[in-house]
């Protein structure tokens, strides 16, 4: 049995096979590969694309999806080991994961960080506890990384660029009125590195550099393929010669739990918005973003609606890569009685 927690646990060759399978699913949309299979989709946070694409993908494969929102239609869950459960939670993740494993063939979980202590959030404990107690594959719907988004991004770039090796991938921080999750930024960094790009991270100050786990992984992945990882705070340097501009906003890790101190820095960098002038500096780059996207805050209307914008294609490709992923996980895994 294999989980899909982070693409760091999967080789490029394995991910290439999933992308090839995704292209087949894109050509042939209704294939009865999950008939009789049931998948629990557990959402602790809101979603448009993830929920819709998983529900529809499972339907198109002949399976059945059960959507659960703990604390909102399903019982609130306790995650602390050894807790005296005299608070709001009605049941422990150990029972939740083991019971769902008796009903379902896979459990998929979305659980964003709490944004108070990064040292705590970086443990990814909600997903980790589901994986510890489940006896079926567990799939990450976005926690501190967003691996399904990574696959969709790579399928989309492959479709437009052909090979990704040796091309320049710019991951640019953008302004947002709230400090957001670093998950998609972590993911973009590691998947671009794994797929042979020269990767540049553009962010306002060194405090916006991503967690060492992902920076180190990206550095190691790029260097092992003769590529580079560059960090810059200079907009012109970042955009120069880029083949892909990927935009995302995130909160600076040193400011977790004291966001009022981070706000002035973020406000001072509204000019990191992706606009046509910046895109002019690139090598006719493609633009993308995971969505949802605040127009004219993160990127201008002109960029989001441009022919070089892949935001809708990338969102569509979530459907195809996830179908490939689910069939891969279920063909590799055998359900184990607990
Ligand atoms: N990109 C993404 O995961 O979108 P949702 O938050 O709408 O699921």
């Amino acid at each position: 049995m294999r989980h899909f927690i982070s693409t760091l646990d999967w080789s490029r060759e394995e991910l290439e096979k999933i992308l090839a399978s995704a292209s087949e699913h894109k050509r042939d949309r209704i294939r009865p590969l999950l008939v009789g299979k049931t998948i629990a989709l557990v959402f602790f946070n809101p979603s448009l694309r993830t929920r819709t694409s998983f529900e529809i993908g499972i339907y198109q494969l002949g399976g059945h999806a059960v959507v659960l929102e703990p604390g909102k239609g399903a019982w609130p869950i306790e995650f602390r080991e050894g807790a005296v459960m005299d608070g709001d939670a009605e049941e422990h993740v150990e029972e939740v994961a083991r019971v769902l494993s008796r009903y379902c063939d896979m459990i998929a979980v979305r659980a964003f960080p709490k944004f108070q202590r990064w040292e705590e959030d970086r443990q990814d404990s909600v997903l980790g506890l589901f994986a510890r107690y489940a006896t079926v594959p567990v799939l990450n719907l976005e926690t501190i990384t967003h691996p399904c988004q990574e696959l969709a991004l790579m399928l989309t770039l492959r479709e437009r660029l052909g090979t990704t090796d040796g091309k320049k991938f710019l991951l640019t921080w953008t302004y947002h009125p709230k400090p957001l999750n670093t998950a998609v930024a972590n993911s973009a960094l590691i998947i671009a590195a794994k797929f042979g790009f020269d990767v540049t991270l553009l962010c306002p100050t060194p405090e916006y550099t991503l967690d060492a786990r992902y920076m180190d992984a990206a550095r190691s992945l790029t260097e092992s393929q003769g590529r580079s990882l560059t960090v810059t705070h200079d907009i012109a340097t970042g955009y120069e010669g880029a083949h892909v501009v990927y935009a995302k906003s995130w909160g600076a890790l040193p400011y977790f739990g004291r966001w009022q101190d981070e706000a002035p820095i973020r406000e001072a960098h509204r000019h990191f918005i992706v606009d046509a002038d910046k895109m002019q500096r690139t090598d006719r780059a493609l633009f993308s973003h995971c969505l949802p996207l605040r127009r004219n805050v993160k990127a201008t209307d002109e960029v989001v609606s441009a022919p070089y914008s892949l935001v809708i294609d990338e969102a569509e490709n979530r459907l195809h890569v996830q179908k490939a992923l689910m069939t891969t996980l279920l063909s590799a895994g055998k359900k184990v009685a607990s």
Side-chain angles (χ1 to χ4, degrees):
M1 182 180 84
R2 195 146 180 215
H3 301 304
F4 190 70
I5 303 286
S6 164
T7 56
L8 291 178
D9 306 328
W10 292 66
S11 69
R12 177 171 175 175
E13 292 66 33
E14 290 172 320
L15 298 176
E16 298 269 15
K17 280 188 191 152
I18 293 173
L19 295 187
S21 167
S23 297
E24 288 171 25
H25 282 285
K26 191 166 183 171
R27 283 191 292 274
D28 188 4
R29 303 215 174 191
I30 311 294
R31 298 166 75 192
L33 299 174
L34 292 187
V35 173
K37 303 286 186 193
T38 305
I39 297 172
L41 305 175
V42 185
F43 282 93
F44 291 89
N45 309 96
S47 166
L48 185 146
R49 280 144 290 272
T50 304
R51 178 170 174 171
T52 312
S53 56
F54 265 96
E55 282 202 55
I56 290 171
I58 293 164
Y59 169 77
Q60 291 178 343
L61 291 167
H64 180 73
V66 177
V67 177
L68 297 165
E69 297 175 288
K72 202 173 111 187
W75 301 114
I77 301 172
E78 176 64 65
F79 291 95
R80 291 170 303 159
E81 304 286 0
V84 176
M85 290 176 50
D86 55 1
D88 291 337
E90 290 293 341
E91 59 182 329
H92 197 273
V93 64
E94 179 170 348
E95 284 74 62
V96 175
R98 293 178 68 193
V99 168
L100 289 178
S101 298
R102 296 284 181 99
Y103 298 146
C104 302
D105 299 281
M106 188 184 302
I107 303 170
V109 180
R110 167 167 283 197
F112 290 174
K114 300 273 186 296
F115 294 103
Q116 290 306 308
R117 292 183 57 239
W118 174 245
E119 282 309 310
E120 212 168 276
D121 288 337
R122 79 187 294 278
Q123 305 303 322
D124 211 2
S125 60
V126 170
L127 191 63
L129 287 166
F130 269 97
R132 181 191 302 174
Y133 292 117
T135 53
V136 295
V138 169
L139 193 155
N140 183 349
L141 300 179
E142 189 177 354
T143 57
I144 58 169
T145 60
H146 198 350
C148 294
Q149 194 74 48
E150 293 176 43
L151 294 177
L153 169 62
M154 273 313 123
L155 180 61
T156 311
L157 294 180
R158 278 292 182 73
E159 289 171 343
R160 293 291 283 261
L161 291 174
T163 181
T164 50
D165 292 283
K167 304 246 166 55
K168 178 175 174 179
F169 183 96
L170 170 64
L171 169 60
T172 177
W173 179 93
T174 57
Y175 171 78
H176 186 286
K178 290 186 271 188
L180 300 183
N181 197 354
T182 52
V184 171
N186 294 333
S187 277
L189 194 75
I190 58 179
I191 201 68
K194 187 162 276 194
F195 275 74
F197 280 99
D198 284 311
V199 181
T200 296
L201 171 62
L202 168 63
C203 55
T205 69
E207 295 160 309
Y208 287 82
T209 305
L210 297 165
D211 185 88
R213 182 191 292 150
Y214 305 108
M215 297 299 295
D216 292 348
R219 192 166 292 109
S220 161
L221 285 162
T222 48
E223 285 176 1
S224 67
Q225 297 174 84
R227 310 294 175 204
S228 60
L229 172 65
T230 306
V231 178
T232 182
H233 311 300
D234 178 64
I235 290 174
T237 305
Y239 277 79
E240 197 64 47
H243 299 100
V244 178
V245 174
Y246 202 63
K248 186 69 186 80
S249 188
W250 63 88
L253 301 179
Y255 291 91
F256 267 54
R258 52 185 190 98
W259 294 112
Q260 68 284 1
D261 297 334
E262 190 237 18
I265 309 173
R266 205 156 7 96
E267 287 294 332
H269 292 87
R270 282 177 178 257
H271 60 286
F272 272 56
I273 185 170
V274 183
D275 58 25
D277 284 347
K278 294 187 185 76
M279 292 299 290
Q280 285 283 340
R281 293 180 174 277
T282 68
D283 188 356
R284 291 176 294 151
L286 301 166
F287 167 80
S288 203
H289 184 280
C290 62
L291 302 182
L293 179 150
R294 292 190 184 218
R295 280 172 171 254
N296 303 310
V297 173
K298 288 180 170 181
T300 60
D301 283 333
E302 191 179 1
V303 169
V304 180
S305 298
Y308 56 72
S309 170
L310 306 182
V311 296
I312 305 301
D313 291 339
E314 184 177 329
E316 180 198 324
N317 282 338
R318 290 287 304 275
L319 176 66
H320 312 306
V321 297
Q322 290 159 190
K323 287 165 78 176
L325 181 59
M326 287 187 284
T327 51
T328 300
L329 288 172
L330 287 179
S331 63
K334 290 274 180 291
K335 193 168 173 174
V336 181
S338 61

